[in-house]
Amino acid sequence: MMLFVSKRHTARPKFALRLLTAVVLALPLIPLSGGAAIAATTSSAHVTFSDGMLQPSSVSITTGGMVSWTNDSDYTVTLSSNAWGSHSVQPDGSWSYTFGSAGTYTYTATSRTESGRSTSQTGTVTVGGSGSPPPSPSPTPPPSPSPTSTPPPPPPPTPTPTTPATPSPTATPSPSNASVMVGDDFFNPKTVTVALGSTVTWTNGGSQHTVTCTGSCGPQTFDSGNMNTGATFSHTFTVAGTYNYVCVYHAPGMSGTITVQ
């Protein structure tokens, strides 16, 4: 499924004012004893998408904090992440999301032009603690006095050694390859189970799509990038676990799962 957007014909706001706002909101400063300053984790941050770039691409906030995005480009921007799925921001529009759990969240900002060309940028949101000062360390108790030494008890009788049973080896499944067809708004099959070391190959039989597993999607990450009609992408799984992947253009509805045993 192709998604086209129209270019604006109105004057764009001055980039310098938006960049200054992003810097003030995303990088609050804490003075040091020597007069210098460092960036601190705050309860909120602001990111601007302009000229195909996220500014800044990485922000840090406290748990329960909020990040807001402003689209300063001429085209609609789609923000995709496992945290919120997918959300589109119109030109000169903005959108905010509150992060309730600590962790590192990776997201993708994708912009599509009327010619069909797409640009994609990856950003990171690091969510820390509540921002409260660390608790004071507990005082170390003084050492207890050593007890008066007493004669050791006589040693117990030596038990007769027994030979443990040899465990039977566990059979390891052999690697087996699998294929997935990429269609418009679906992966077929949607769920695939393979052995460790197997290779899975995706073939795009639809319009433009991606095969993307980023952030906390699984033990490893992979990303095909933009796949035109007829394109293929392969990935060999060397770490066991469950991988939940999506097409960044049509998430969260277009998704699939790979289980590696």
Side-chain angles (χ1 to χ4, degrees):
M1 179 176 66
M2 299 292 293
L3 174 63
F4 297 96
V5 295
S6 299
K7 186 174 182 180
R8 290 183 290 137
H9 298 287
T10 58
R12 195 198 309 181
K14 291 184 178 180
F15 173 70
L17 178 58
R18 291 192 178 273
L19 179 59
L20 178 59
T21 303
V23 171
V24 171
L25 291 176
L27 296 176
L29 299 177
I30 299 175
L32 299 178
S33 58
I38 60 172
T41 300
T42 63
S43 60
S44 63
H46 184 271
V47 180
T48 300
F49 185 86
S50 178
D51 297 326
M53 301 291 292
L54 291 167
Q55 300 172 349
S57 60
S58 297
V59 295
S60 297
I61 60 173
T62 56
T63 303
M66 181 179 66
V67 177
S68 59
W69 289 265
T70 297
N71 182 7
D72 195 28
S73 69
D74 293 328
Y75 306 100
T76 300
V77 175
T78 300
L79 302 174
S80 302
S81 171
N82 288 338
W84 61 77
S86 180
H87 189 88
S88 297
V89 183
Q90 301 299 322
D92 288 332
S94 61
W95 180 70
S96 300
Y97 184 81
T98 300
F99 293 82
S101 301
T104 300
Y105 299 83
T106 302
Y107 67 93
T108 303
T110 304
S111 178
R112 305 291 300 280
T113 66
E114 53 206 22
S115 64
R117 178 177 174 271
S118 66
T119 61
S120 182
Q121 290 289 318
T122 299
T124 303
V125 178
T126 301
V127 182
S130 62
S132 302
S136 302
S138 301
T140 303
S144 302
S146 302
T148 304
S149 60
T150 57
T158 303
T160 303
T162 58
T163 303
T166 303
S168 300
T170 302
T172 302
S174 302
S176 59
N177 299 332
S179 299
V180 177
M181 175 62 67
V182 182
D184 287 337
D185 296 325
F186 68 88
F187 294 100
N188 186 25
K190 183 180 178 69
T191 301
V192 176
T193 300
V194 296
L196 189 66
S198 301
T199 298
V200 178
T201 300
W202 289 263
T203 301
N204 185 11
S207 58
Q208 290 184 329
H209 297 288
T210 74
V211 177
T212 304
C213 178
T214 59
S216 57
C217 69
Q220 290 181 322
T221 61
F222 53 87
D223 188 3
S224 66
N226 185 69
M227 296 175 64
N228 293 319
T229 303
T232 62
F233 169 70
S234 297
H235 181 76
T236 300
F237 293 86
T238 59
V239 179
T242 300
Y243 300 78
N244 298 304
Y245 64 93
V246 298
C247 169
V248 297
Y249 303 146
H250 306 100
M254 186 173 177
S255 62
T257 301
I258 304 294
T259 301
V260 182
Q261 298 178 341

